[in-house]
Structure formats: C-alpha cells, structure tokens
Amino acid sequence: MAQAVGMLEVFGLVAAFAAGDAGCKAANVVMEPFDKNKPANADSLPVPLIVMVKFRGSVEDVRAAVEAGAEAANRVSGVVTQYVIARPEPDTEKMLHLKAFDKD
C-alpha cells in the first residue's frame, strides 16, 4: 500500500529547512527532496521563491508532520499552502517525483 504524502509549500529555503526539521521531529516520517517554484509574481511575495516540502509516512504521522512544519515555517516567512493525500493514485505518484531544483 502506498504511503501518505504531505505537501507543504513555504516561502524560501530557510522556512523549508525549518519546516522539514520540525516535521521530522514531530512524527515518524521521511522527507523527500525539496522542489521549487518561482511564480510570475515573485517580486511581490515575502520571499521570491516557493519551496515544497514533502513528507511520507502513515496518514496520522504525515498530518502531524505537516502541522508541525507549517507552525515552524510560519515563524520564519510563511506558508503558501498545505495538503495531505492519504493514498496517492499511481499516476499522482509519478507526478510527485518531478523536481525542478536541478533545473534553471
């Protein structure tokens, strides 16, 4: 059975590291590599880079990690959005593995 995935988009790398650390300390989860997004309106944002933090584990652990991560990120620069998928479909799983950090 597929593990749940929790996605947390935050403003900037510092918030991403704070969120990831807090989430992993709060629950029995693993963190996947970060992903990034620089939206067209980046200059009007608190930090011009949005970073996605992804946690994997049981639904309960992922929810706890996302909540703890959101609290930590809000103390740094803020959260854009958060979402938990309990059982990702195979096609959704494929998309969850796309990453843009190694691309310009």
Side-chain angles (χ1 to χ4, degrees):
M1 179 161 68
Q3 290 185 309
V5 62
M7 298 166 287
L8 180 62
E9 281 189 320
V10 300
F11 291 111
L13 274 173
V14 173
F17 278 104
D21 183 61
C24 287
K25 288 176 178 173
N28 184 25
V29 294
V30 295
M31 188 171 50
E32 293 189 351
F34 294 152
D35 198 4
K36 69 174 181 166
N37 180 19
K38 186 171 181 180
N41 67 337
D43 293 336
S44 67
L45 300 174
V47 177
L49 180 68
I50 295 174
V51 181
M52 181 179 293
V53 180
K54 291 185 257 184
F55 299 104
R56 293 288 188 145
S58 71
V59 176
E60 297 80 17
D61 283 330
V62 167
R63 283 189 178 131
V66 168
E67 287 303 317
E71 287 177 25
N74 275 322
R75 289 191 297 270
V76 177
S77 56
V79 172
V80 178
T81 191
Q82 62 192 63
Y83 196 75
V84 173
I85 301 174
R87 290 182 319 272
E89 290 291 324
D91 288 338
T92 303
E93 272 297 336
K94 290 177 192 172
M95 298 306 291
L96 287 168
H97 292 288
L98 297 178
K99 292 169 190 56
F101 245 114
D102 57 347
K103 298 177 179 123
D104 290 331

